[in-house]
Amino acid sequence: MKLAVTITLVAILLLFAGVASASTAQVLIKDFKFQPDQVTIKKGDTVTWTHPGPASHTVKFQDSESPILKNGGTYSKTFNQAGTFNYECGIHPYMKGKVIVQ
């Protein structure tokens, strides 16, 4: 019985040892720029945008847009497909950024 429990625990540990944890990339919205304006992540990772300034901004992709971010606001998006995803501020379209998902 003790051997069976030990074998089961080792099998579970080996199963989870191969599972990579997702990570988060950070983008600051400051001085009417996305900083950095390009991030490279892996499938399943999340990007979080943080806006510490007084002007309102959004993070707008082709298929979605964040709520309006005011001073202290944050927005996170998880990317589950590989590709290049361009975005801009929906309020200030000259503010542009890019997420590259490998």
Side-chain angles (χ1 to χ4, degrees):
M1 180 71 168
K2 200 173 192 181
L3 180 60
V5 170
T6 302
I7 292 172
T8 302
L9 288 174
V10 169
I12 291 171
L13 289 173
L14 289 174
L15 175 67
F16 284 107
V19 176
S21 62
S23 64
T24 302
Q26 302 291 326
V27 176
L28 187 64
I29 304 171
K30 185 176 178 186
D31 298 329
F32 289 85
K33 297 177 187 171
F34 294 109
Q35 300 176 15
D37 62 355
Q38 179 177 310
V39 294
T40 301
I41 60 173
K42 295 180 181 175
K43 285 193 314 186
D45 286 356
T46 300
V47 178
T48 297
W49 290 264
T50 303
H51 173 47
S56 296
H57 297 287
T58 67
V59 180
K60 182 179 179 182
F61 289 88
Q62 183 177 356
D63 64 345
S64 63
E65 185 170 7
S66 72
I68 293 175
L69 303 176
K70 297 183 181 196
N71 191 336
T74 63
Y75 173 69
S76 295
K77 182 175 175 81
T78 300
F79 294 83
N80 293 313
Q81 293 184 318
T84 299
F85 302 89
N86 295 307
Y87 65 91
E88 63 186 32
C89 174
I91 300 168
H92 310 99
Y94 57 87
M95 295 173 57
K96 298 191 181 296
K98 183 185 298 187
V99 177
I100 300 169
V101 184
Q102 298 176 332

